[in-house]
Amino acid sequence: KKEQKSYREDRPYFALSLIGAFAGLLSGLLGIGGGGIISPLMLMLGFNPKKITAITAFVVPFSSLSGFLTYWAMGSVDWGLLAIASIAGISGATLGTMFMHKKLNPQTVKRILAIILLIMAMKLIWSLI
């Protein structure tokens, strides 16, 4: 209970709307899901990491779907790759969500997100060199 009270509970609608719009824009430009944008920004605003993962899991498919529909309309979808990635993604998301809610505290989720984002940043920086 003490852990939950240290995170913000209000809903700054304007800031959250800007985060969603920014994530959607970058998602469309870069072909990414947007979770790597939404999660760190909401962490910086002080929200509970466990709640952030639930919000991201709900919001990201909408931006991903709009990007998918655009690529589909342009005729550049690899259906075999799509099927394999979808099955793997759904399986991993289901197992990860169950594990997170039953075994991890918010601080651990925050650390995992930070490590993943750092690895992604290092990989991107390395690819520029």
Side-chain angles (χ1 to χ4, degrees), residues 68-89:
F68 165 75
L69 292 174
T70 303
Y71 280 105
W72 186 21
M74 293 187 306
S76 60
V77 174
D78 181 344
W79 294 101
L81 180 61
L82 175 69
I84 293 167
S86 296
I87 292 168

Side-chain angles (χ1 to χ4, degrees), residues 77-110:
V77 174
D78 181 344
W79 294 101
L81 180 61
L82 175 69
I84 293 167
S86 296
I87 292 168
I90 291 168
S91 302
T94 303
L95 292 172
T97 300
M98 289 189 308
F99 179 75
M100 187 226 2
H101 280 289
K102 292 180 181 179
K103 302 284 183 187
L104 301 177
N105 63 35
Q107 193 62 27
T108 304
V109 174
K110 194 173 182 178

Side-chain angles (χ1 to χ4, degrees), residues 27-70:
S27 178
L29 287 172
L30 303 175
I32 59 172
I37 298 159
I38 294 171
S39 296
L41 293 175
M42 289 185 72
L43 280 172
M44 288 190 306
L45 288 176
F47 288 98
N48 185 331
K50 284 183 139 182
K51 289 184 179 183
I52 292 170
T53 57
I55 291 165
T56 304
F58 180 75
V59 171
V60 167
F62 295 107
S63 59
S64 298
L65 179 63
S66 64
F68 165 75
L69 292 174
T70 303

Side-chain angles (χ1 to χ4, degrees), residues 10-19:
D10 65 326
R11 294 180 181 91
Y13 294 108
F14 184 71
L16 294 174
S17 297
L18 286 177
I19 289 171

